[in-house]
Each structure stands twice: as structure tokens, then as C-alpha cells.
């Protein structure tokens, strides 16, 4: 959650705590009781989705590092094949045209090039090995392709989990705000003759602006009793 969402979440917890403190006035079967219970449900859902969001983001960052390592390893293997093909092209003009690294930095472009390299190098395997390429260079290329592709898949999955959790947080915040709006007139009507409790409600219901420090008078605080 960002700072604005955290302020709203804090408001939800204050509203829940207000309901718990005045539970005797809101039986479970009453509309107010059901609304306070739903706020509790929103908080539970937000706690779960925030954990999923944080976990997904951490996993995505970790995968980004692993993917970079796999990408560099694959590109290094392709560069070695390209360098060797240039030397082989001295005797076989045009051969180096088959082994050109993609200009695009896109991941899929690198994978497509790697698969093409494998297909084009296989019938020339003996000659590549004669130029001091490892005997298992094609098997190594296959492994590097598989590793990079796997890192791409894991990265996409982690990113999707983070996005899904973020969307779920938005949904739960919207649900909680709707419940808080429904609760507001119920609580105000209940305590219209009790300025102390009403002031406590207004304070609980108030949402602080993100980045503000120190206490702030609730914007909707009831007027002082001048009688």
C-alpha cells in the first residue's frame, strides 16, 4: 500500500476499534453491527493482500536479478558463437550472416536468436568444435535458453501476483470506504445527544493527509456546545 492507502487503512482500524468499544450499542444483527463486522472483514482482507503485494514485489525484484544473470550468460554464449562464425566465414563467405545478434534488447528477440543459432550451428558442429568451441556448446546453449526462459516465466508470474494483490487492495479500500459512509449517519444519529462519543467517532472517521505530522483537528468535528 502507498502512503495514502495506509492512511485510509488506519482510519478503518480506528472505526473497527470504535465499534468494538461501543459493541453494546450495535447488536450483531443490527445494520450498525453488520457494518462494523464488515469493516473488520475489510481489514483482514487488506492485511492478507498487503502481505501478498509485498511478497510479490520482493519476489519480482529477486527474479529481476536472476533473470539478468541468465540473460547475460545466454548472450555471452551467443557472442562466442558469433565470433567463431566470423572466423569460419573466411572460408565460407556469408556464413556469419546466419549468426548475428539481434539489435533489439527484447527478451523474446534474444530467445528467438538463440534458437535460430542452435538450428544453424547444429550441421556445422564439427567445424565449430574445430575452432575450439566446447564439444557440448549446443547442449550448453539449450540449458541457457531453458534457464532464461524459466526466469522470464517466474518473473512474469511474480509481477502478475503483485499486480493482482494491488488490484485487490483497491477493491477492498473501495468496499471499506462504502461501509464507512454507511456507518457515518448511523453513528451520528445514535449519539446526536452525546457530543463526547460523537467527537470520538469523528476523530476515528477522519483520514489524515499523507505526509502530515502531528495531531490535526477532525474536519467534521461537531460544533462546541455553547449552552
Amino acid at each position: 500500500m502507498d502512503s495514502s492507502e495506509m492512511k485510509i487503512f488506519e482510519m478503518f482500524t480506528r472505526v473497527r476499534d470504535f465499534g468494538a468499544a461501543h459493541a453494546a450499542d450495535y447488536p450483531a444483527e443490527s445494520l450498525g453491527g453488520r457494518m462494523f463486522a464488515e469493516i473488520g472483514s475489510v481489514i483482514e482482507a487488506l492485511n492478507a493482500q498487503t502481505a501478498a503485494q509485498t511478497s510479490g514485489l520482493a519476489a519480482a525484484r529477486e527474479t529481476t536479478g536472476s533473470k539478468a544473470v541468465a540473460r547475460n550468460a545466454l548472450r555471452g554464449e551467443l557472442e562466442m558463437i558469433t565470433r567463431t562464425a566470423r572466423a569460419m566465414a573466411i572460408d565460407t563467405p556469408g556464413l556469419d550472416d546466419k549468426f548475428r545478434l539481434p539489435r533489439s534488447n527484447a527478451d523474446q528477440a534474444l530467445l528467438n536468436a538463440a534458437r535460430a543459432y542452435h538450428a544453424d550451428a547444429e550441421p556445422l558442429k564439427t567445424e565449430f568444435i574445430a575452432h575450439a568451441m566446447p564439444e557440448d556448446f549446443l547442449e550448453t546453449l539449450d540449458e541457457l535458453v531453458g534457464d532464461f526462459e524459466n526466469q522470464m516465466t517466474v518473473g512474469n508470474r511474480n509481477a502478475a501476483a503483485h499486480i493482482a494483490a494491488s488490484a485487490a487492495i483497491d477493491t477492498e479500500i473501495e468496499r471499506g470506504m462504502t461501509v464507512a459512509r454507511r456507518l457515518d449517519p448511523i453513528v451520528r444519529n445514535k449519539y446526536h445527544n452525546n457530543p463526547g462519543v460523537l467527537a470520538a467517532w469523528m476523530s476515528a472517521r477522519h483520514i489524515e493527509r499523507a505526509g502530515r505530522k502531528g495531531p490535526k483537528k477532525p474536519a467534521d468535528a461537531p460544533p462546541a456546545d455553547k449552552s
Side-chain angles (χ1 to χ4, degrees):
M1 286 190 284
D2 61 26
S3 57
S4 295
E5 291 169 335
M6 281 300 301
K7 293 298 182 182
I8 294 173
F9 179 80
E10 290 166 2
M11 181 271 284
F12 291 160
T13 61
R14 292 193 300 270
V15 167
R16 177 201 59 192
D17 294 344
F18 178 93
H22 300 277
D25 293 333
Y26 300 98
E29 67 276 7
S30 68
L31 178 59
R34 295 199 303 273
M35 291 299 97
F36 278 117
E38 189 165 355
I39 279 289
S41 173
V42 167
I43 291 171
E44 289 180 2
L46 283 173
N47 282 331
Q49 293 301 335
T50 299
Q53 182 190 52
T54 302
S55 176
L57 180 59
R61 286 173 175 168
E62 180 180 357
T63 303
T64 298
S66 300
K67 178 181 164 185
V69 171
R71 193 181 203 285
N72 289 338
L74 176 57
R75 191 172 185 87
E77 184 74 7
L78 296 184
E79 288 172 350
M80 185 164 59
I81 294 173
T82 297
R83 183 171 59 248
T84 306
R86 286 174 185 160
M88 292 164 56
I90 296 173
D91 297 325
T92 310
L95 180 64
D96 52 337
D97 290 335
K98 291 185 176 183
F99 301 96
R100 292 185 181 274
L101 289 169
R103 294 182 179 179
S104 171
N105 289 323
D107 293 339
Q108 193 58 51
L110 186 64
L111 279 176
N112 292 342
R115 293 191 175 101
Y117 270 44
H118 187 287
D120 290 335
E122 192 159 21
L124 301 168
K125 181 178 180 179
T126 300
E127 191 170 352
F128 271 102
I129 294 173
H131 282 75
M133 288 286 289
E135 293 187 3
D136 62 347
F137 78 97
L138 289 178
E139 290 80 359
T140 298
L141 180 59
D142 279 342
E143 292 175 1
L144 293 173
V145 166
D147 185 35
F148 184 51
E149 195 167 34
N150 181 62
Q151 292 299 330
M152 287 175 59
T153 299
V154 173
N156 291 338
R157 184 168 61 243
N158 290 336
H162 176 258
I163 291 170
S166 298
I169 286 172
D170 291 342
T171 298
E172 290 302 325
I173 284 179
E174 184 177 352
R175 178 164 73 105
M177 291 297 290
T178 298
V179 174
R181 285 194 295 271
R182 294 186 67 181
L183 269 170
D184 194 53
I186 295 173
V187 177
R188 290 197 192 202
N189 292 341
K190 183 74 173 178
Y191 302 114
H192 70 283
N193 286 327
N194 192 331
V197 176
L198 189 55
W201 165 251
M202 299 305 292
S203 178
R205 178 72 175 81
H206 178 70
I207 301 174
E208 291 284 349
R209 291 184 183 180
R212 292 187 67 93
K213 296 181 179 180
K216 183 176 183 294
K217 182 180 179 182
D220 299 326
D225 188 354
K226 298 181 180 180
S227 60

